[in-house]
Amino acid sequence: MTSEPAADRAEWGAPGSPHRTREEQVLDRIDRVRRRKAVVKEERITLAHGSGGRATQTLIQAVFLEEFGNPLLAPLEDGATLRLGDARTAFTTDSFVVSPLFFPGGDIGDLAVNGTVNDLAMCGARPGYLAAGFILEEGFLVADLRRIVASMAAAAAAAGVSIVTGDTKVVQRGKADGCYITTTGVGVVERPVELSASGARPGDAVIVSGPMGDHGAAIMVARGEFDLESPIVSDTAPLHGIVSALLDALPGHVRTLRDATRGGVATILNEVAAASRVAVVVEEKALPVRPEVTGVCELLGIDPLYVACEGRFVAVVDGAHAGRALEALRRHPLGAGAAIVGTIRDDPPGLVLLRTAFGGTRIVDVLVGDPLPRIC
């Protein structure tokens, strides 16, 4: 009986080894394709470039990072964390083009405030100040603008932030769609946290803070394009309070926080898998989705995993403290529906796997195309 050299034995099952199983070889090829240098093949921008999915990621990497690249931007977190004097601050910006402007549970105004507040919260920051930029189309009703601005003021007051500067531009009739808003925010990082999509480790737990897809489903129904009726309302809400509760309950044990907006929970999980070089394994039966959202998605042929939320987030926490994290979230009014939905593994790196309710396993890929344009 002969034995293999130790070096050869070590290569068995390693990426690139001819001894990998067929399944492992397929996963290796997927991983290699994903790690190729990003190239924008289209000659013109499409709606998919704003989806938050694969086309958006390619555009950011091949165009914006190519010219703007720097160490603060490179991680592509929800905001940049930087030092200004003695203060550790978070800085972020976001634009809102949702259609329709008014929808069940909110409007473009509170969405613009909550969206930026939440990006700061995902950095572990206490939001402080916002800037607001408006692009208005000639002919837009002043009454609608007043309604939007009042909604922004109410959302800012509820979140404890002030809108302290801004800008207004008006474009010719037909050159926009009523009203677009950009909000920029700054906050203070008061805790010694290092939150990043690259922070997940094998053994960690993946938690979703509440039912998925409410916002996207509410927008789809509100557009009236599909002759659907449903009581679904948007989940738009400021998340810094519930994030504070989580960080206080698990000091040093929260790895990643991401709000699940464009591209939904699936896109966030893929970002974590890619940035941390880990596998994310999700249990389908554990995913919190309201029956009415499931119904709308089934009618339209859309997976709720890809539908946008505006008041939910994904947290990756130390697996040993997952139960305590869940208790902290569920004690908060915005976290009553929180659920542990999966775990982090070391293999296959860079992929999200879904264990289906029927006992099978499938890959959850990055969103391709844009089934729900102008959702936020």
Side-chain angles (χ1 to χ4, degrees):
M1 180 175 179
T2 60
S3 60
E4 303 159 37
D8 290 344
R9 289 200 306 273
E11 291 177 357
W12 279 78
S17 166
H19 304 294
R20 298 276 279 179
T21 66
R22 177 67 177 166
E23 178 182 349
E24 289 170 334
Q25 290 175 25
V26 170
L27 296 176
D28 287 347
R29 283 200 293 274
I30 293 172
D31 188 45
R32 286 197 298 273
V33 169
R34 285 186 167 188
R35 298 177 71 178
R36 288 176 183 166
K37 180 178 174 60
V39 176
V40 177
K41 298 179 180 177
E42 299 84 1
E43 294 185 355
R44 298 178 184 275
I45 295 297
T46 70
L47 286 173
H49 289 117
S51 68
R54 188 180 302 283
T56 303
Q57 293 176 4
T58 300
L59 184 73
I60 291 171
Q61 292 168 5
V63 176
F64 296 116
L65 284 183
E66 191 74 15
E67 299 293 338
F68 297 160
N70 63 68
L72 288 174
L73 178 61
L76 297 179
E77 304 290 352
D78 285 334
T81 302
L82 57 159
R83 286 202 170 276
L84 291 176
D86 295 331
R88 188 164 177 243
T89 62
F91 184 50
T92 190
T93 191
D94 207 343
S95 295
F96 298 86
V97 298
V98 64
S99 177
L101 298 176
F102 303 96
F103 47 82
D107 58 50
I108 191 173
D110 57 42
L111 194 65
V113 170
N114 291 335
T116 293
V117 164
N118 292 345
D119 282 345
L120 293 171
M122 297 305 113
C123 299
R126 176 174 56 82
Y129 301 97
L130 302 185
F134 294 82
I135 295 179
L136 306 174
E137 182 183 9
E138 179 187 22
F140 189 63
L141 292 175
V142 172
D144 283 348
L145 180 60
R146 288 185 183 279
R147 184 178 168 190
I148 290 168
V149 171
S151 181
M152 292 181 73
V161 300
S162 298
I163 299 174
V164 294
T165 187
D167 182 52
T168 304
K169 296 290 190 300
V170 178
V171 298
Q172 294 169 307
R173 191 184 300 269
K175 299 297 183 182
D177 190 8
C179 175
Y180 302 145
I181 300 175
T182 295
T183 47
T184 301
V186 64
V188 180
V189 182
E190 297 169 317
R191 300 176 180 81
V193 293
E194 297 293 342
L195 303 171
S196 172
S198 62
R201 306 171 191 172
D204 286 348
V206 181
I207 299 177
V208 175
S209 68
M212 308 181 326
D214 289 8
H215 176 73
I219 296 296
M220 284 187 279
V221 173
R223 285 179 182 166
E225 298 172 348
F226 305 108
D227 196 25
L228 297 174
E229 291 185 6
S230 172
I232 306 169
V233 298
S234 169
D235 57 7
T236 176
L239 294 172
H240 58 301
I242 187 173
V243 166
S244 292
L246 177 63
L247 295 176
D248 286 343
L250 266 74
H253 298 296
V254 180
R255 323 279 198 212
T256 306
L257 295 176
R258 284 289 180 97
D259 54 341
T261 54
R262 289 178 305 166
V265 170
T267 297
I268 299 303
L269 297 179
N270 272 280
E271 291 174 357
V272 170
S276 298
R277 300 297 302 152
V278 296
V280 180
V281 181
V282 180
E283 304 292 339
E284 185 177 45
K285 62 185 179 184
L287 293 171
V289 187
R290 299 185 197 279
E292 51 268 42
V293 171
T294 299
V296 169
C297 290
E298 287 180 347
L299 283 171
L300 301 179
I302 298 172
D303 189 334
L305 271 167
Y306 295 97
V307 180
C309 313
E310 288 293 339
R312 313 294 182 211
F313 64 94
V314 175
V316 179
V317 306
D318 185 333
H321 301 276
R324 193 147 51 92
L326 196 61
E327 290 176 7
L329 292 173
R330 287 181 173 175
R331 281 197 296 267
H332 193 280
L334 294 178
I340 299 172
V341 301
T343 56
I344 302 294
R345 295 192 332 200
D346 56 359
D347 188 67
L351 291 181
V352 179
L353 304 177
L354 179 74
R355 286 180 177 156
T356 70
F358 299 103
T361 301
R362 68 174 175 87
I363 293 174
V364 178
D365 206 350
V366 180
L367 177 66
V368 177
D370 190 1
L372 304 171
R374 298 188 59 188
I375 209 77
C376 58

